[in-house]
Amino acid sequence: MLAVLLGGASASVAAGDGVPLPNPAKAFKGQQCIEPVGTMRRLHGEYLIHQRDETLRQGIRGKKYSLRQCIACHATTSPDVENGTVRTIQPFCAECHAYAAVTIDCFSCHTGKAEDDVKTGSAYPDIPSHNKRKPWAGKDSSAVALLDSLKAELDKGSPSP
Amino acid sequence: MTSPSNKKAVTPPIDAARRNLLKGAGALTVTLAAGVTLISPARAQIMVRKSGQPASSDIRWGLLIDANKCTVDCEVCVVACRTENGWEGHGRPETDPQWIRKVNLKDKKTGVRVSLPVMCQHCETPPCVDVCPTGASMKRADGIVLVDKHICIGCRYCMMACPYKARSFVHEDVTNQKPYQPRGKGTVEACTFCVHRVDAGRIPACVEACTEKAYGALTFGDLNDPSSEISKQVSRYVTTRIRADLGLEPGVIYRGI
Amino acid sequence: MKKIVYREIEGSSAGFYSLLAWFGLFIIAAGAATLYMEEYGHYVTGMTNQIVWGMPHVFAVFLIVAASGALNVASISSVFGRKIYKPLGRLSALLAIALLAGGLAVLVLDLGRNDRLIIAMTKYNFKSIFAWNIYLYSGFFVVVGIYLWMMMERKMNRFTRVAGLFAFIWRLSLTTGTGSIFGFLVAREAYDSAIMAPMFIVMSFSFGLAIFILVLMAAYGWTGRPLGDAVIKRLKNLLGVFVAGVLYFVTVQHLTNLYAAGNQGVERFILLDGGIFTSLFWVGQVFLGGLVPLVLVFHPVTGAMRQYVALAAALVILGGFAQIYVIIIGGQAYPLELFPGMEVTSSFFDGQINSYTPSLAEIALGLGGVALALALVTFAAKVLPFLPMSLADADIDPHYMKPEPEAEMNEVEGTEKAA
């Protein structure tokens, strides 16, 4: 009985009827990952769990195994995700994790979308100014004049006479 | 050219060290006359921590709120926080998160009114940290109180314990989180002093917005540094803390209440 | 005193299976409620950012408190040596385990992230009484399980006393821990008090015994086994003492709070103008849950009638629910006083009495916990010999005196006459 089952199982695999191997999307940018592929496949979970505690609990920023950096390189568009209009890591992480049936919890809280470029300038262009009185900074002409002269002196590198 | 009345402020001659300090720090703090300081708020940088360095207990972050400057109808800090951290509501005020809110007070006896923002007070001895069963509610070395949402089980005991009603439970699914501010259903969250900005050498969103767009009631800085703006103000004016009787030593300090 | 024979209940009647079916229905409803809350998030419940703990916590705390109290009967026999309670020991321990399981199930299923239960069981912040409680609760199962084993296995009977003592101390720690969940909260005037822990202990005595009495009566009534008056009398008197104890602690708590000017607001709210909370306090907790059972139990007429004892026990249970509701929900309904002496308004409901309407899902979850506890007892009684065959006076009362044998005398006379 067992032999029949085993024989049957191997026959079907040989015929290619098994679960298709995962095909994670190629990275959006970058030539290679921060670690070799084999190492990352095996240890990316450990790296992430270790670094998340360092970042959050100890406040250490800028270390190598950053989830946001993963997303920056590995997020791609996919027709399944919002009709291919946004870059997410769904086509990358989900492929292998679905195959291995390992549920990950990251993206209930972390966004999987690739970040837009960081905006410069005022952080809050849409917030109307509430201060109906004279604005507090930047319009004091004498102060502006002083600042300008100071800047000029700094550039000159010598005190004003 | 400086005008004669301001000439005094410019002398003694600017030497190389001072020049570098003024250039490098980026915080253009200039004494116009005795006791008056001009701060260029948009450029106000606190301190950039080198990457790879942990938060240090040498620093104690604090927020000074001058309630005298707040008005009842101003909610710029709230809007800024909401925009920055992405806690948009669902139109259900009872269950929507509120990291910061404007509280309007009226003295029962005299009728005097005052308005002020209230958020997580980042206490020195936070009761929320004491009661969290898993240790998800934590205080970082530099005094910022955070929720480690990786291990938060959503029991809400910290919400019961907080005297300031600072924390919110995420009652619904969250999408489109800000990349620097992960948040998800079933965990508890609160004001983080915009720790992602602070670590990059900037100031919290509420402080920046209030300074840019409202009345400049908020001042953020290092309470352990006697030369920081907040330390100077705290040592110059009478300040208090909400529920000071509890002895929790919050990092959020108020004037005008 | 005769030897006590324990036997499993037969458990083959239609009544038995329909009882289990009803319990199963409630348990399934609780499961559905949990899935519903997990799927959509807690906004579908009545719990909010103002009322953080709701109906599930009322049920859970009640069941957990009652669980440690249900062990009392066994403790009285093992630790304090009262022989008449000995036959009741096994049921007492079983009920304790079952009630705790039901309460914990409700508590755990209400968590925002109950998929992280493993984290709760591996990462501990030992400053938190919650973390200690996790050990106390899970340890309770082990300790009472061992206690049961000592009671039920003949060879181990000589260790019952030691195991019973250990279990007694453990359950006192457990209830202290549960009361301290509230007592340790500095933020809320309704809770911040050292009296919470001892009050919870006396509450556990009262609620646990009330549930025990009802389960005992039901078990013996429905299986047709005899339940004598001696047992009922002892239990009901004990219940009366415990109910009086709870009333005492509640009085002391509120009187003391009333003396502190800072607590006037919350006391006024609970005792006078809190609407539903005031009604639940005076009518539910004090009157129906305290004074009426006291009268029923100690009055010579009603105290001798089983149905009134059962009624008293049921009222104690209802009053207990009301008490826990007032403690948990009432304590949250009253706003936090951030600015004493000021009228406060905000967009985050500062300064106003918070309202709470329990949702169906929460009530279903709570009732499912009760059903789980009772189902466990019912099922276990069929599988293992927890219940003595007879609790009739003749069989278990050490002071039992046979009634005057007048009938015998007449018989003898009759036969003598005949002869």
Side-chain angles (χ1 to χ4, degrees), chain B residues 92-178:
Chain B
R92 289 183 261 268
E94 283 184 334
T95 52
D96 285 337
Q98 280 226 296
W99 292 22
I100 178 175
R101 72 243 192 218
K102 286 295 296 305
V103 173
N104 302 315
L105 308 178
K106 183 176 118 168
D107 191 315
K108 283 184 191 156
K109 294 266 182 327
T110 64
V112 170
R113 292 171 187 274
V114 68
S115 176
L116 58 144
V118 175
M119 71 296 283
C120 170
Q121 304 284 287
H122 296 275
C123 308
E124 183 69 34
T125 52
C128 62
V129 173
D130 285 342
V131 300
C132 177
T134 56
S137 180
M138 51 165 274
K139 191 179 75 148
R140 216 168 71 158
D142 54 2
I144 301 185
V145 175
L146 296 168
V147 179
D148 183 350
K149 291 173 203 170
H150 304 117
I151 56 176
C152 174
I153 56 172
C155 73
R156 289 102 76 199
Y157 195 19
C158 59
M159 294 173 71
M160 289 290 267
C162 178
Y164 304 103
K165 203 162 164 284
R167 290 205 161 163
S168 303
F169 183 59
V170 183
H171 286 79
E172 307 186 43
D173 271 318
V174 181
T175 52
N176 289 324
Q177 298 93 334
K178 302 286 184 208

Side-chain angles (χ1 to χ4, degrees), chain B residues 92-98 101-108 116 118 129-135 149-157 159-165 167-169 171-173 185-187 242-243 246 257, chain C residues 38-43 47-50 52-53 57 110-113 116 119-120 123-125 127-131 180-182 185-189 191 332 336-339 341-350 355:
Chain B
R92 289 183 261 268
E94 283 184 334
T95 52
D96 285 337
Q98 280 226 296
R101 72 243 192 218
K102 286 295 296 305
V103 173
N104 302 315
L105 308 178
K106 183 176 118 168
D107 191 315
K108 283 184 191 156
L116 58 144
V118 175
V129 173
D130 285 342
V131 300
C132 177
T134 56
K149 291 173 203 170
H150 304 117
I151 56 176
C152 174
I153 56 172
C155 73
R156 289 102 76 199
Y157 195 19
M159 294 173 71
M160 289 290 267
C162 178
Y164 304 103
K165 203 162 164 284
R167 290 205 161 163
S168 303
F169 183 59
H171 286 79
E172 307 186 43
D173 271 318
K185 180 179 72 176
T187 55
I242 307 180
R243 291 301 311 264
L246 292 176
I257 58 164
Chain C
E38 282 305 300
E39 172 71 24
Y40 294 104
H42 273 64
Y43 86 96
M47 295 182 273
T48 62
N49 282 324
Q50 289 69 242
V52 170
W53 283 354
H57 299 84
D110 166 77
L111 288 177
R113 295 298 305 253
R116 289 184 177 167
I119 294 183
K123 283 197 191 307
Y124 290 102
N125 166 27
K127 264 192 119 177
S128 164
I129 191 69
F130 246 27
S180 299
I181 291 175
F182 303 99
L185 293 178
V186 299
R188 300 182 187 252
E189 292 98 13
Y191 299 151
Q332 296 174 84
L336 288 166
E337 291 252 24
L338 261 63
F339 305 99
M342 302 283 235
E343 247 173 59
V344 181
T345 53
S346 82
S347 59
F348 204 34
F349 304 94
D350 290 281
S355 65

Side-chain angles (χ1 to χ4, degrees), chain A residues 96-127:
Chain A
C96 290
H97 274 273
Y99 174 79
V102 175
T103 319
I104 46 172
D105 196 21
C106 323
F107 302 103
S108 55
C109 289
H110 287 274
T111 180
K113 290 190 183 166
E115 295 173 47
D116 297 329
D117 292 322
V118 176
K119 290 198 195 67
T120 52
S122 167
Y124 308 104
D126 300 328
I127 300 180

Side-chain angles (χ1 to χ4, degrees), chain C residues 6 71 74 78 86-98 140-154 156-157 159-160 163-164 167 380 384-387:
Chain C
Y6 297 90
L71 192 62
S78 303
K86 186 153 174 279
L88 309 169
R90 297 186 190 187
L91 176 64
S92 163
L94 170 66
L95 191 58
I97 290 181
F140 188 78
F141 288 121
V142 175
V143 168
V144 178
I146 293 177
Y147 182 31
L148 257 181
W149 173 34
M150 303 294 145
M151 281 194 276
M152 291 173 81
E153 174 145 357
R154 285 216 58 171
M156 309 301 279
N157 276 350
F159 298 120
T160 309
L384 285 170
F386 286 100
L387 296 175

Side-chain angles (χ1 to χ4, degrees), chain A residues 54-68:
Chain A
E54 280 187 343
T55 306
L56 177 57
R57 303 194 79 97
Q58 297 171 47
I60 299 173
R61 301 270 181 183
K63 295 286 271 290
K64 195 155 82 161
Y65 305 112
S66 152
L67 185 66
R68 280 167 80 180

Side-chain angles (χ1 to χ4, degrees), chain C residues 374-393:
Chain C
L374 295 176
L376 283 173
V377 174
T378 312
F379 181 68
K382 174 173 176 175
V383 170
L384 285 170
F386 286 100
L387 296 175
M389 278 300 292
S390 161
L391 285 175
D393 292 352

Side-chain angles (χ1 to χ4, degrees), chain C residues 76-352:
Chain C
I76 294 177
S77 124
S78 303
V79 178
F80 300 103
R82 312 292 297 168
K83 289 205 172 24
I84 193 171
Y85 294 98
K86 186 153 174 279
L88 309 169
R90 297 186 190 187
L91 176 64
S92 163
L94 170 66
L95 191 58
I97 290 181
L99 286 171
L100 186 65
L104 284 181
V106 175
L107 200 61
V108 155
L109 289 176
D110 166 77
L111 288 177
R113 295 298 305 253
N114 39 28
D115 53 316
R116 289 184 177 167
L117 203 51
I118 296 290
I119 294 183
M121 301 203 293
T122 47
K123 283 197 191 307
Y124 290 102
N125 166 27
F126 282 113
K127 264 192 119 177
S128 164
I129 191 69
F130 246 27
W132 282 109
N133 278 350
I134 294 175
Y135 275 114
L136 286 169
Y137 296 158
S138 39
F140 188 78
F141 288 121
V142 175
V143 168
V144 178
I146 293 177
Y147 182 31
L148 257 181
W149 173 34
M150 303 294 145
M151 281 194 276
M152 291 173 81
E153 174 145 357
R154 285 216 58 171
K155 283 184 289 187
M156 309 301 279
N157 276 350
R158 63 183 190 278
F159 298 120
T160 309
R161 193 143 197 274
V162 171
L165 184 61
F166 198 63
F168 184 63
I169 295 174
W170 194 279
R171 61 69 107 235
L172 285 178
S173 317
L174 187 151
T175 323
T176 306
T178 309
S180 299
I181 291 175
F182 303 99
F184 286 177
L185 293 178
V186 299
R188 300 182 187 252
E189 292 98 13
Y191 299 151
D192 177 27
S193 168
I195 208 174
M196 294 303 277
M199 189 168 79
F200 267 64
I201 291 198
V202 183
M203 280 159 65
S204 79
F205 290 167
S206 171
F207 307 159
L209 185 58
I211 296 182
F212 182 82
I213 289 175
L214 285 181
V215 168
L216 188 71
M217 285 186 177
Y220 278 75
W222 293 343
T223 53
R225 297 186 182 186
L227 178 59
D229 281 335
V231 167
I232 302 280
K233 184 163 170 240
R234 291 277 168 77
L235 290 177
K236 69 119 173 136
N237 281 341
L238 204 55
L239 183 66
V241 169
F242 292 154
V243 169
V246 174
L247 282 175
Y248 164 74
F249 269 92
V250 170
T251 311
V252 170
Q253 182 202 13
H254 286 284
L255 267 183
T256 315
N257 268 353
L258 282 167
Y259 265 90
N263 292 345
Q264 292 286 339
V266 70
E267 282 299 312
R268 206 188 154 78
F269 175 69
I270 301 281
L271 299 179
L272 207 56
D273 52 17
I276 174 94
F277 301 106
T278 309
S279 319
L280 280 174
F281 179 78
W282 288 114
V283 177
Q285 176 181 337
V286 174
F287 185 66
L288 287 180
L291 296 173
V292 171
L294 265 184
V295 168
L296 284 177
V297 151
F298 285 128
H299 192 280
V301 172
T302 55
M305 295 164 71
R306 263 180 217 209
Q307 47 272 53
Y308 286 110
V309 172
L311 178 64
L315 286 176
V316 167
I317 292 173
L318 284 174
F321 262 105
Q323 179 165 9
I324 305 230
Y325 191 92
V326 169
I327 290 176
I328 294 185
I329 315 253
Q332 296 174 84
Y334 191 74
L336 288 166
E337 291 252 24
L338 261 63
F339 305 99
M342 302 283 235
E343 247 173 59
V344 181
T345 53
S346 82
S347 59
F348 204 34
F349 304 94
D350 290 281
Q352 32 173 282

